[in-house]
Amino acid sequence: MLNDILLGLSDALTLTNFLYIAAGVLIGQVFAAAPGVGALTAVTIAVPFTFYLNPVTAIGFLVGINKGGTLGGAVSSILMNTPGSPEATATAFDGYPMAKKGQALKALRTAHFSSVTGDAISDMVLFLVAAPLSILALQMGPAEMAAVVLVALVVVGGLVGNSIVKGLIAAFLGVLFSLVGTDPETAGGRFTFGIPELMDGLSISAVGIGVLALGEIFRQMVFHGDEANGSAQAAELGSREANRFRWRDYRSVAPTIFRSSAIGTIIGAIPGLGSTAAAFLGYSSAKRAAQDPESFGKGDIRGVAATEAANSAVVGANFIPLLSLGIPGNVAAALILGAFIIHGISPGPQLFAEQSRLVYALFGAMMIGTFCNLFIGLFSMRLFSKLIQLPLVLVLPCVVLLCVTGIIVASNLFGAWLLVGFALMGFLMRILNFSFVTFIIGFVLGPMFELNIRQTILLSDGNIGFLLTRPIACGFILMALYIAWRLGKRRKLGAPQLSM
Amino acid sequence: MLFLTLSGISARILAGAFSVSLLLSFSGLSFAEAWPAKPLTLLVGFGAGGGADTLSRLVARELEKEIGQPVVVKNVAGGGGVVMATKLKNSEPDGYTFGLASNSSFDSMPWFAELEYKADDFDYLTTVTQLQNAIVASGDAPFNSWDEMIEYGRSSGLTFASISPITRRFINLVAEKEGVKIRIVPMRGGLEIMNSLIGGHVDIAWSAGVHQAYLSDGKLQVLAALNDERLSTSPEKPTVRELGYDKSYTTYFMFSAPKGIPEAILNKLTDALRKASASPAVAELAEDRMAFPNVVLEPEALKSFVLNNSDYYREAYRK
């Protein structure tokens, strides 16, 4: 056992591995920092190249891209208010106001250290308790999954904004668009209009990047980015002191980081929920726990820390079901699973027993990846923070180009048209004050909720007593009710709500 | 002549390929012998990174060695191969574009969904692996054979995880014939199904071969094979035909091309593809790592297989 650990770690700690992992992290950071391109595109392109590498190097390289990507995703959210993927949406809530106050570098550093901490914590959980946690994941049947999604929906309901009606309209619109595709039960088409590209539904990248990033860019173009750039630049020159991220800042956000890391790790260990749910849950919980929730959304450092720690913690924890059950938790993990297979490794229950040396080599590679992310981030974040000084006239067209190219690479030309359509929608939602946040949440969580509820109804044969045999599901449902009650009480008291 | 060739081939082609074709057109060789004058495109009906994609990329690499031109792999995922087949149907039948998907995208899907194509819009080139279809259950299930499963189902009912209309039709047939109440639960994807079986959330499910990784430690068990013959990884388990059903579900990952490719080119492409598909590297990946038999069918056999299936599903769908 100890022998395997040492052999595995020494397999990981070679110069070749180190260079590949560092390159992966750098690629991940840069790809994810560019809105619309994303680390997922980088992983997709990189998979075929890894065929020629040895297994540890190959997986380490891909894991490096994945890790770098979780950090890079924060960059465009903070600097331009244009999240490159849904998981970084909540980063912009406080990151962008910080940038406008001239604290771009501080926001990026917060994201950097929170992301690396969240990632490191979830890696530790993976190394230490992968096996018991994977048993927990197996307990999560359709009823439990539906109940967890219900909790997530109620919790993020706190983000609905000032107008509940508009927030709900946007949320249900998100659910409506998520219905496009093939019905899971009958395989009949829903809103597909005979277009084969729509059979698998609207791609999350086209909808997400369109509404979140390109929609915001359209708004900045139309309104000349008046407040956006000018004031940020002025403030940048104004107070260098306020732009520093100090040790005492880290200490002040540490509780937030730990809470979000725990949320991200649990969500990541359950296949299928994903980092977007974790990010919003992390943000909402931090806001709820705060003494002064009204400061969130106005450039509170805890908002950035909560989101980034949560969505990064998903990355390590996603490997829990991947390694122990062979079940990928998200698309990136599915691509890495493909790389495992071509290298003759079949993840699953037998992997730890049969190839423990390889498992520990992989853990070693993940640790190197976390270290590289920390180290490279020290330089890259400073470099990225300079981007805010570029005039928007130059930046915006480049970003539009990146978004469109990214979609065409990831899907096809049809995806590019969808992107433009959803960008227009995101633009209209912004000027009409509809919450694009609840729209995205509805779009991401809607299908999960639908499928799991339908599965539960079929399994129970329509008998509600079935729920009594599922204690975990009951626990989550009670939790959702309690949170809804607390939320209603707070709203009645007139506590200020976040509007976006 | 020179100008015609120049404009016909156009500047977008690589300089190397261009000079080769120029040379050949001067030496008076026929069009077929000039093939392949430029890189080929292999459309894969599944997403990047999965088993089918991995297999396709390896075949592409072996095919490059056979024909001396690059083979570009493009993932056209969606609808379990349907989006790829639609795109393939609309591509130029010049021998430069071909695709990989399961035969069900061609023989059954056109009858279950409204699609732009039918089975006879394509030429069928060859297969690369046979899938391993089976009805599977958790190793901890309260039954250990097909008959015990039916008996258990008569008293307690069964839940079945389904991924397609075909699996749904088959299990309905079983329920009707055996007088068992089977509740069908829709799921997306083989891995989700394996997870639900192991976690005890459903009783039985259809697997196209994902289950094989879970057999060695007893997490899953095969109840019956759905292929024509017994499965190599579970040779002791009967086929559904042996169990008294007049059915079998043999499926392949196979290559096809839009109809209308000149015969000489089609033959060249098919021959090269069959050599690549039967190469040791592909065989090793398929058989040793994925546990799928590396079956490389004759084009004629594949064609009649697909068209017969298509006729069968047309009738089945009408009922």
Side-chain angles (χ1 to χ4, degrees), chain B residues 5 9 16-40 67-69 94-96 264-265 268:
Chain B
T5 321
I9 297 190
F18 168 69
S19 58
V20 169
S21 72
L22 204 65
L23 255 172
L24 290 177
S25 63
F26 269 121
S27 59
L29 290 173
S30 76
F31 183 50
E33 280 164 286
W35 182 92
K38 59 176 185 177
L40 271 62
I67 61 169
Q69 280 285 354
D94 55 4
Y96 288 99
I265 296 178
K268 272 186 158 186

PDB file of all heavy atoms in Angstrom, chain B residues 5 9 16-40 67-69 94-96 264-265 268:
ATOM      1  N   THR B   5      -8.271  22.760 -64.628  1.00  0.00           N
ATOM      2  CA  THR B   5      -7.881  22.027 -63.432  1.00  0.00           C
ATOM      3  C   THR B   5      -7.658  23.003 -62.279  1.00  0.00           C
ATOM      4  O   THR B   5      -8.084  22.771 -61.159  1.00  0.00           O
ATOM      5  CB  THR B   5      -6.581  21.241 -63.684  1.00  0.00           C
ATOM      6  OG1 THR B   5      -6.639  20.722 -64.986  1.00  0.00           O
ATOM      7  CG2 THR B   5      -6.417  20.148 -62.670  1.00  0.00           C
ATOM      8  N   ILE B   9     -10.118  22.830 -59.007  1.00  0.00           N
ATOM      9  CA  ILE B   9      -9.666  22.330 -57.711  1.00  0.00           C
ATOM     10  C   ILE B   9      -9.570  23.460 -56.689  1.00  0.00           C
ATOM     11  O   ILE B   9      -9.771  23.225 -55.497  1.00  0.00           O
ATOM     12  CB  ILE B   9      -8.337  21.559 -57.887  1.00  0.00           C
ATOM     13  CG1 ILE B   9      -8.619  20.367 -58.784  1.00  0.00           C
ATOM     14  CG2 ILE B   9      -7.788  21.108 -56.563  1.00  0.00           C
ATOM     15  CD1 ILE B   9      -7.559  19.365 -58.895  1.00  0.00           C
ATOM     16  N   GLY B  16       0.482  20.445 -51.807  1.00  0.00           N
ATOM     17  CA  GLY B  16       0.938  19.094 -52.125  1.00  0.00           C
ATOM     18  C   GLY B  16      -0.108  18.309 -52.880  1.00  0.00           C
ATOM     19  O   GLY B  16       0.159  17.769 -53.953  1.00  0.00           O
ATOM     20  N   ALA B  17      -1.310  18.320 -52.319  1.00  0.00           N
ATOM     21  CA  ALA B  17      -2.400  17.591 -52.945  1.00  0.00           C
ATOM     22  C   ALA B  17      -2.658  18.144 -54.343  1.00  0.00           C
ATOM     23  O   ALA B  17      -2.911  17.407 -55.297  1.00  0.00           O
ATOM     24  CB  ALA B  17      -3.653  17.705 -52.098  1.00  0.00           C
ATOM     25  N   PHE B  18      -2.534  19.444 -54.448  1.00  0.00           N
ATOM     26  CA  PHE B  18      -2.795  20.129 -55.700  1.00  0.00           C
ATOM     27  C   PHE B  18      -1.829  19.651 -56.779  1.00  0.00           C
ATOM     28  O   PHE B  18      -2.217  19.275 -57.874  1.00  0.00           O
ATOM     29  CB  PHE B  18      -2.652  21.637 -55.461  1.00  0.00           C
ATOM     30  CG  PHE B  18      -2.608  22.449 -56.702  1.00  0.00           C
ATOM     31  CD1 PHE B  18      -3.741  22.564 -57.483  1.00  0.00           C
ATOM     32  CD2 PHE B  18      -1.445  23.083 -57.075  1.00  0.00           C
ATOM     33  CE1 PHE B  18      -3.696  23.318 -58.637  1.00  0.00           C
ATOM     34  CE2 PHE B  18      -1.403  23.827 -58.230  1.00  0.00           C
ATOM     35  CZ  PHE B  18      -2.533  23.953 -59.017  1.00  0.00           C
ATOM     36  N   SER B  19      -0.530  19.617 -56.456  1.00  0.00           N
ATOM     37  CA  SER B  19       0.440  19.236 -57.478  1.00  0.00           C
ATOM     38  C   SER B  19       0.265  17.775 -57.871  1.00  0.00           C
ATOM     39  O   SER B  19       0.439  17.421 -59.033  1.00  0.00           O
ATOM     40  CB  SER B  19       1.860  19.498 -56.980  1.00  0.00           C
ATOM     41  OG  SER B  19       2.075  18.779 -55.798  1.00  0.00           O
ATOM     42  N   VAL B  20      -0.117  16.947 -56.909  1.00  0.00           N
ATOM     43  CA  VAL B  20      -0.348  15.538 -57.231  1.00  0.00           C
ATOM     44  C   VAL B  20      -1.475  15.411 -58.259  1.00  0.00           C
ATOM     45  O   VAL B  20      -1.327  14.746 -59.276  1.00  0.00           O
ATOM     46  CB  VAL B  20      -0.712  14.727 -55.957  1.00  0.00           C
ATOM     47  CG1 VAL B  20      -1.222  13.346 -56.330  1.00  0.00           C
ATOM     48  CG2 VAL B  20       0.510  14.602 -55.061  1.00  0.00           C
ATOM     49  N   SER B  21      -2.573  16.116 -58.000  1.00  0.00           N
ATOM     50  CA  SER B  21      -3.712  15.983 -58.896  1.00  0.00           C
ATOM     51  C   SER B  21      -3.368  16.555 -60.265  1.00  0.00           C
ATOM     52  O   SER B  21      -3.789  16.046 -61.295  1.00  0.00           O
ATOM     53  CB  SER B  21      -4.926  16.686 -58.318  1.00  0.00           C
ATOM     54  OG  SER B  21      -4.759  18.080 -58.396  1.00  0.00           O
ATOM     55  N   LEU B  22      -2.563  17.600 -60.284  1.00  0.00           N
ATOM     56  CA  LEU B  22      -2.163  18.216 -61.536  1.00  0.00           C
ATOM     57  C   LEU B  22      -1.359  17.217 -62.358  1.00  0.00           C
ATOM     58  O   LEU B  22      -1.608  16.993 -63.533  1.00  0.00           O
ATOM     59  CB  LEU B  22      -1.309  19.453 -61.215  1.00  0.00           C
ATOM     60  CG  LEU B  22      -1.272  20.523 -62.279  1.00  0.00           C
ATOM     61  CD1 LEU B  22      -2.654  21.120 -62.445  1.00  0.00           C
ATOM     62  CD2 LEU B  22      -0.270  21.601 -61.887  1.00  0.00           C
ATOM     63  N   LEU B  23      -0.421  16.581 -61.683  1.00  0.00           N
ATOM     64  CA  LEU B  23       0.412  15.576 -62.326  1.00  0.00           C
ATOM     65  C   LEU B  23      -0.449  14.465 -62.920  1.00  0.00           C
ATOM     66  O   LEU B  23      -0.284  14.067 -64.072  1.00  0.00           O
ATOM     67  CB  LEU B  23       1.338  14.955 -61.290  1.00  0.00           C
ATOM     68  CG  LEU B  23       2.802  15.377 -61.340  1.00  0.00           C
ATOM     69  CD1 LEU B  23       3.546  14.838 -60.135  1.00  0.00           C
ATOM     70  CD2 LEU B  23       3.414  14.884 -62.648  1.00  0.00           C
ATOM     71  N   LEU B  24      -1.390  13.988 -62.119  1.00  0.00           N
ATOM     72  CA  LEU B  24      -2.201  12.859 -62.547  1.00  0.00           C
ATOM     73  C   LEU B  24      -3.085  13.246 -63.721  1.00  0.00           C
ATOM     74  O   LEU B  24      -3.278  12.462 -64.642  1.00  0.00           O
ATOM     75  CB  LEU B  24      -3.052  12.349 -61.381  1.00  0.00           C
ATOM     76  CG  LEU B  24      -2.231  11.662 -60.281  1.00  0.00           C
ATOM     77  CD1 LEU B  24      -3.126  11.253 -59.131  1.00  0.00           C
ATOM     78  CD2 LEU B  24      -1.497  10.450 -60.840  1.00  0.00           C
ATOM     79  N   SER B  25      -3.581  14.474 -63.696  1.00  0.00           N
ATOM     80  CA  SER B  25      -4.467  14.854 -64.780  1.00  0.00           C
ATOM     81  C   SER B  25      -3.676  14.962 -66.082  1.00  0.00           C
ATOM     82  O   SER B  25      -4.194  14.715 -67.157  1.00  0.00           O
ATOM     83  CB  SER B  25      -5.181  16.167 -64.465  1.00  0.00           C
ATOM     84  OG  SER B  25      -4.245  17.204 -64.358  1.00  0.00           O
ATOM     85  N   PHE B  26      -2.400  15.302 -65.989  1.00  0.00           N
ATOM     86  CA  PHE B  26      -1.565  15.364 -67.187  1.00  0.00           C
ATOM     87  C   PHE B  26      -1.250  13.981 -67.709  1.00  0.00           C
ATOM     88  O   PHE B  26      -1.238  13.730 -68.895  1.00  0.00           O
ATOM     89  CB  PHE B  26      -0.250  16.092 -66.889  1.00  0.00           C
ATOM     90  CG  PHE B  26      -0.359  17.553 -67.141  1.00  0.00           C
ATOM     91  CD1 PHE B  26      -0.139  18.475 -66.139  1.00  0.00           C
ATOM     92  CD2 PHE B  26      -0.716  18.013 -68.408  1.00  0.00           C
ATOM     93  CE1 PHE B  26      -0.261  19.822 -66.373  1.00  0.00           C
ATOM     94  CE2 PHE B  26      -0.834  19.362 -68.645  1.00  0.00           C
ATOM     95  CZ  PHE B  26      -0.613  20.275 -67.626  1.00  0.00           C
ATOM     96  N   SER B  27      -1.019  13.050 -66.815  1.00  0.00           N
ATOM     97  CA  SER B  27      -0.634  11.724 -67.262  1.00  0.00           C
ATOM     98  C   SER B  27      -1.839  10.930 -67.750  1.00  0.00           C
ATOM     99  O   SER B  27      -1.698   9.783 -68.117  1.00  0.00           O
ATOM    100  CB  SER B  27       0.083  10.973 -66.136  1.00  0.00           C
ATOM    101  OG  SER B  27      -0.783  10.886 -65.024  1.00  0.00           O
ATOM    102  N   GLY B  28      -3.011  11.563 -67.748  1.00  0.00           N
ATOM    103  CA  GLY B  28      -4.167  10.949 -68.370  1.00  0.00           C
ATOM    104  C   GLY B  28      -4.797   9.820 -67.589  1.00  0.00           C
ATOM    105  O   GLY B  28      -5.516   8.995 -68.143  1.00  0.00           O
ATOM    106  N   LEU B  29      -4.548   9.769 -66.277  1.00  0.00           N
ATOM    107  CA  LEU B  29      -5.176   8.721 -65.494  1.00  0.00           C
ATOM    108  C   LEU B  29      -6.642   9.055 -65.264  1.00  0.00           C
ATOM    109  O   LEU B  29      -7.029  10.213 -65.262  1.00  0.00           O
ATOM    110  CB  LEU B  29      -4.471   8.587 -64.142  1.00  0.00           C
ATOM    111  CG  LEU B  29      -3.059   8.015 -64.212  1.00  0.00           C
ATOM    112  CD1 LEU B  29      -2.395   8.076 -62.847  1.00  0.00           C
ATOM    113  CD2 LEU B  29      -3.080   6.593 -64.723  1.00  0.00           C
ATOM    114  N   SER B  30      -7.437   8.045 -65.030  1.00  0.00           N
ATOM    115  CA  SER B  30      -8.858   8.300 -64.809  1.00  0.00           C
ATOM    116  C   SER B  30      -9.070   8.922 -63.436  1.00  0.00           C
ATOM    117  O   SER B  30      -8.213   8.884 -62.570  1.00  0.00           O
ATOM    118  CB  SER B  30      -9.648   6.997 -64.906  1.00  0.00           C
ATOM    119  OG  SER B  30      -9.451   6.263 -63.728  1.00  0.00           O
ATOM    120  N   PHE B  31     -10.270   9.476 -63.233  1.00  0.00           N
ATOM    121  CA  PHE B  31     -10.630  10.166 -61.995  1.00  0.00           C
ATOM    122  C   PHE B  31     -10.463   9.251 -60.794  1.00  0.00           C
ATOM    123  O   PHE B  31      -9.928   9.634 -59.753  1.00  0.00           O
ATOM    124  CB  PHE B  31     -12.075  10.658 -62.126  1.00  0.00           C
ATOM    125  CG  PHE B  31     -12.540  11.454 -60.951  1.00  0.00           C
ATOM    126  CD1 PHE B  31     -11.783  12.514 -60.458  1.00  0.00           C
ATOM    127  CD2 PHE B  31     -13.749  11.157 -60.339  1.00  0.00           C
ATOM    128  CE1 PHE B  31     -12.218  13.261 -59.388  1.00  0.00           C
ATOM    129  CE2 PHE B  31     -14.188  11.898 -59.263  1.00  0.00           C
ATOM    130  CZ  PHE B  31     -13.416  12.947 -58.781  1.00  0.00           C
ATOM    131  N   ALA B  32     -10.920   8.009 -60.961  1.00  0.00           N
ATOM    132  CA  ALA B  32     -10.895   7.073 -59.845  1.00  0.00           C
ATOM    133  C   ALA B  32      -9.469   6.818 -59.382  1.00  0.00           C
ATOM    134  O   ALA B  32      -9.204   6.730 -58.185  1.00  0.00           O
ATOM    135  CB  ALA B  32     -11.550   5.760 -60.247  1.00  0.00           C
ATOM    136  N   GLU B  33      -8.560   6.733 -60.320  1.00  0.00           N
ATOM    137  CA  GLU B  33      -7.190   6.434 -59.917  1.00  0.00           C
ATOM    138  C   GLU B  33      -6.556   7.636 -59.229  1.00  0.00           C
ATOM    139  O   GLU B  33      -5.616   7.490 -58.476  1.00  0.00           O
ATOM    140  CB  GLU B  33      -6.371   6.013 -61.132  1.00  0.00           C
ATOM    141  CG  GLU B  33      -6.630   4.563 -61.471  1.00  0.00           C
ATOM    142  CD  GLU B  33      -6.164   4.213 -62.874  1.00  0.00           C
ATOM    143  OE1 GLU B  33      -6.839   4.621 -63.837  1.00  0.00           O
ATOM    144  OE2 GLU B  33      -5.121   3.560 -62.979  1.00  0.00           O
ATOM    145  N   ALA B  34      -7.098   8.838 -59.486  1.00  0.00           N
ATOM    146  CA  ALA B  34      -6.558  10.024 -58.840  1.00  0.00           C
ATOM    147  C   ALA B  34      -6.969  10.088 -57.363  1.00  0.00           C
ATOM    148  O   ALA B  34      -6.332  10.767 -56.584  1.00  0.00           O
ATOM    149  CB  ALA B  34      -7.050  11.276 -59.552  1.00  0.00           C
ATOM    150  N   TRP B  35      -8.064   9.372 -57.022  1.00  0.00           N
ATOM    151  CA  TRP B  35      -8.524   9.411 -55.631  1.00  0.00           C
ATOM    152  C   TRP B  35      -7.556   8.666 -54.730  1.00  0.00           C
ATOM    153  O   TRP B  35      -7.122   7.588 -55.126  1.00  0.00           O
ATOM    154  CB  TRP B  35      -9.908   8.763 -55.550  1.00  0.00           C
ATOM    155  CG  TRP B  35     -10.497   8.778 -54.179  1.00  0.00           C
ATOM    156  CD1 TRP B  35     -11.311   9.717 -53.651  1.00  0.00           C
ATOM    157  CD2 TRP B  35     -10.303   7.797 -53.160  1.00  0.00           C
ATOM    158  NE1 TRP B  35     -11.634   9.410 -52.363  1.00  0.00           N
ATOM    159  CE2 TRP B  35     -11.024   8.224 -52.033  1.00  0.00           C
ATOM    160  CE3 TRP B  35      -9.562   6.609 -53.056  1.00  0.00           C
ATOM    161  CZ2 TRP B  35     -11.049   7.512 -50.827  1.00  0.00           C
ATOM    162  CZ3 TRP B  35      -9.592   5.907 -51.859  1.00  0.00           C
ATOM    163  CH2 TRP B  35     -10.334   6.353 -50.759  1.00  0.00           C
ATOM    164  N   PRO B  36      -7.179   9.110 -53.602  1.00  0.00           N
ATOM    165  CA  PRO B  36      -7.568  10.369 -52.976  1.00  0.00           C
ATOM    166  C   PRO B  36      -6.580  11.494 -53.269  1.00  0.00           C
ATOM    167  O   PRO B  36      -5.404  11.350 -53.017  1.00  0.00           O
ATOM    168  CB  PRO B  36      -7.536  10.027 -51.488  1.00  0.00           C
ATOM    169  CG  PRO B  36      -6.503   8.943 -51.366  1.00  0.00           C
ATOM    170  CD  PRO B  36      -6.384   8.269 -52.705  1.00  0.00           C
ATOM    171  N   ALA B  37      -7.067  12.590 -53.799  1.00  0.00           N
ATOM    172  CA  ALA B  37      -6.209  13.710 -54.148  1.00  0.00           C
ATOM    173  C   ALA B  37      -6.172  14.760 -53.053  1.00  0.00           C
ATOM    174  O   ALA B  37      -5.453  15.734 -53.156  1.00  0.00           O
ATOM    175  CB  ALA B  37      -6.694  14.332 -55.458  1.00  0.00           C
ATOM    176  N   LYS B  38      -7.001  14.596 -52.022  1.00  0.00           N
ATOM    177  CA  LYS B  38      -7.016  15.581 -50.929  1.00  0.00           C
ATOM    178  C   LYS B  38      -7.426  14.867 -49.645  1.00  0.00           C
ATOM    179  O   LYS B  38      -7.853  13.706 -49.702  1.00  0.00           O
ATOM    180  CB  LYS B  38      -8.001  16.712 -51.277  1.00  0.00           C
ATOM    181  CG  LYS B  38      -9.419  16.214 -51.489  1.00  0.00           C
ATOM    182  CD  LYS B  38     -10.407  17.352 -51.746  1.00  0.00           C
ATOM    183  CE  LYS B  38     -11.814  16.812 -51.823  1.00  0.00           C
ATOM    184  NZ  LYS B  38     -12.838  17.816 -52.005  1.00  0.00           N
ATOM    185  N   PRO B  39      -7.316  15.547 -48.504  1.00  0.00           N
ATOM    186  CA  PRO B  39      -7.658  14.889 -47.234  1.00  0.00           C
ATOM    187  C   PRO B  39      -9.115  14.430 -47.186  1.00  0.00           C
ATOM    188  O   PRO B  39      -9.998  15.056 -47.759  1.00  0.00           O
ATOM    189  CB  PRO B  39      -7.408  15.983 -46.190  1.00  0.00           C
ATOM    190  CG  PRO B  39      -6.453  16.912 -46.815  1.00  0.00           C
ATOM    191  CD  PRO B  39      -6.772  16.894 -48.280  1.00  0.00           C
ATOM    192  N   LEU B  40      -9.343  13.316 -46.488  1.00  0.00           N
ATOM    193  CA  LEU B  40     -10.702  12.794 -46.292  1.00  0.00           C
ATOM    194  C   LEU B  40     -11.283  13.325 -44.982  1.00  0.00           C
ATOM    195  O   LEU B  40     -10.535  13.695 -44.081  1.00  0.00           O
ATOM    196  CB  LEU B  40     -10.662  11.266 -46.224  1.00  0.00           C
ATOM    197  CG  LEU B  40     -10.798  10.499 -47.543  1.00  0.00           C
ATOM    198  CD1 LEU B  40      -9.648  10.837 -48.463  1.00  0.00           C
ATOM    199  CD2 LEU B  40     -10.865   9.007 -47.292  1.00  0.00           C
ATOM    200  N   ILE B  67      -4.039   4.977 -47.384  1.00  0.00           N
ATOM    201  CA  ILE B  67      -4.333   5.793 -48.567  1.00  0.00           C
ATOM    202  C   ILE B  67      -3.345   6.929 -48.787  1.00  0.00           C
ATOM    203  O   ILE B  67      -3.375   7.570 -49.817  1.00  0.00           O
ATOM    204  CB  ILE B  67      -5.762   6.384 -48.498  1.00  0.00           C
ATOM    205  CG1 ILE B  67      -5.915   7.284 -47.270  1.00  0.00           C
ATOM    206  CG2 ILE B  67      -6.811   5.286 -48.512  1.00  0.00           C
ATOM    207  CD1 ILE B  67      -7.182   8.086 -47.273  1.00  0.00           C
ATOM    208  N   GLY B  68      -2.489   7.194 -47.802  1.00  0.00           N
ATOM    209  CA  GLY B  68      -1.477   8.229 -47.979  1.00  0.00           C
ATOM    210  C   GLY B  68      -2.019   9.648 -48.008  1.00  0.00           C
ATOM    211  O   GLY B  68      -1.400  10.539 -48.582  1.00  0.00           O
ATOM    212  N   GLN B  69      -3.201   9.853 -47.435  1.00  0.00           N
ATOM    213  CA  GLN B  69      -3.755  11.204 -47.290  1.00  0.00           C
ATOM    214  C   GLN B  69      -4.221  11.372 -45.852  1.00  0.00           C
ATOM    215  O   GLN B  69      -4.640  10.400 -45.227  1.00  0.00           O
ATOM    216  CB  GLN B  69      -4.963  11.397 -48.220  1.00  0.00           C
ATOM    217  CG  GLN B  69      -4.624  11.690 -49.662  1.00  0.00           C
ATOM    218  CD  GLN B  69      -4.126  13.111 -49.888  1.00  0.00           C
ATOM    219  OE1 GLN B  69      -4.139  13.932 -48.980  1.00  0.00           O
ATOM    220  NE2 GLN B  69      -3.668  13.379 -51.099  1.00  0.00           N
ATOM    221  N   ASP B  94     -18.456  12.170 -53.277  1.00  0.00           N
ATOM    222  CA  ASP B  94     -17.228  12.157 -54.075  1.00  0.00           C
ATOM    223  C   ASP B  94     -16.158  11.257 -53.457  1.00  0.00           C
ATOM    224  O   ASP B  94     -15.021  11.239 -53.901  1.00  0.00           O
ATOM    225  CB  ASP B  94     -16.694  13.588 -54.227  1.00  0.00           C
ATOM    226  CG  ASP B  94     -16.490  14.267 -52.874  1.00  0.00           C
ATOM    227  OD1 ASP B  94     -16.690  13.590 -51.840  1.00  0.00           O
ATOM    228  OD2 ASP B  94     -16.155  15.460 -52.856  1.00  0.00           O
ATOM    229  N   GLY B  95     -16.528  10.543 -52.378  1.00  0.00           N
ATOM    230  CA  GLY B  95     -15.559   9.643 -51.764  1.00  0.00           C
ATOM    231  C   GLY B  95     -14.641  10.335 -50.786  1.00  0.00           C
ATOM    232  O   GLY B  95     -13.711   9.721 -50.272  1.00  0.00           O
ATOM    233  N   TYR B  96     -14.882  11.612 -50.501  1.00  0.00           N
ATOM    234  CA  TYR B  96     -14.023  12.312 -49.551  1.00  0.00           C
ATOM    235  C   TYR B  96     -14.687  12.500 -48.184  1.00  0.00           C
ATOM    236  O   TYR B  96     -14.061  12.969 -47.258  1.00  0.00           O
ATOM    237  CB  TYR B  96     -13.585  13.673 -50.114  1.00  0.00           C
ATOM    238  CG  TYR B  96     -12.583  13.497 -51.230  1.00  0.00           C
ATOM    239  CD1 TYR B  96     -12.976  13.555 -52.566  1.00  0.00           C
ATOM    240  CD2 TYR B  96     -11.252  13.225 -50.928  1.00  0.00           C
ATOM    241  CE1 TYR B  96     -12.060  13.357 -53.584  1.00  0.00           C
ATOM    242  CE2 TYR B  96     -10.324  13.026 -51.941  1.00  0.00           C
ATOM    243  CZ  TYR B  96     -10.732  13.091 -53.265  1.00  0.00           C
ATOM    244  OH  TYR B  96      -9.829  12.889 -54.256  1.00  0.00           O
ATOM    245  N   ALA B 264     -15.674   2.813 -58.665  1.00  0.00           N
ATOM    246  CA  ALA B 264     -14.248   2.531 -58.492  1.00  0.00           C
ATOM    247  C   ALA B 264     -13.727   3.173 -57.210  1.00  0.00           C
ATOM    248  O   ALA B 264     -12.947   2.569 -56.467  1.00  0.00           O
ATOM    249  CB  ALA B 264     -13.472   3.055 -59.700  1.00  0.00           C
ATOM    250  N   ILE B 265     -14.158   4.406 -56.959  1.00  0.00           N
ATOM    251  CA  ILE B 265     -13.707   5.102 -55.751  1.00  0.00           C
ATOM    252  C   ILE B 265     -14.281   4.434 -54.512  1.00  0.00           C
ATOM    253  O   ILE B 265     -13.592   4.214 -53.516  1.00  0.00           O
ATOM    254  CB  ILE B 265     -14.129   6.590 -55.806  1.00  0.00           C
ATOM    255  CG1 ILE B 265     -13.419   7.279 -56.960  1.00  0.00           C
ATOM    256  CG2 ILE B 265     -13.833   7.290 -54.505  1.00  0.00           C
ATOM    257  CD1 ILE B 265     -13.786   8.727 -57.147  1.00  0.00           C
ATOM    258  N   LYS B 268     -12.365   1.399 -53.646  1.00  0.00           N
ATOM    259  CA  LYS B 268     -11.059   1.714 -53.061  1.00  0.00           C
ATOM    260  C   LYS B 268     -11.205   2.129 -51.601  1.00  0.00           C
ATOM    261  O   LYS B 268     -10.459   1.684 -50.734  1.00  0.00           O
ATOM    262  CB  LYS B 268     -10.419   2.877 -53.820  1.00  0.00           C
ATOM    263  CG  LYS B 268      -9.603   2.471 -55.019  1.00  0.00           C
ATOM    264  CD  LYS B 268      -8.939   3.715 -55.558  1.00  0.00           C
ATOM    265  CE  LYS B 268      -7.714   3.399 -56.385  1.00  0.00           C
ATOM    266  NZ  LYS B 268      -7.030   4.625 -56.776  1.00  0.00           N
TER     267      LYS B 268
END
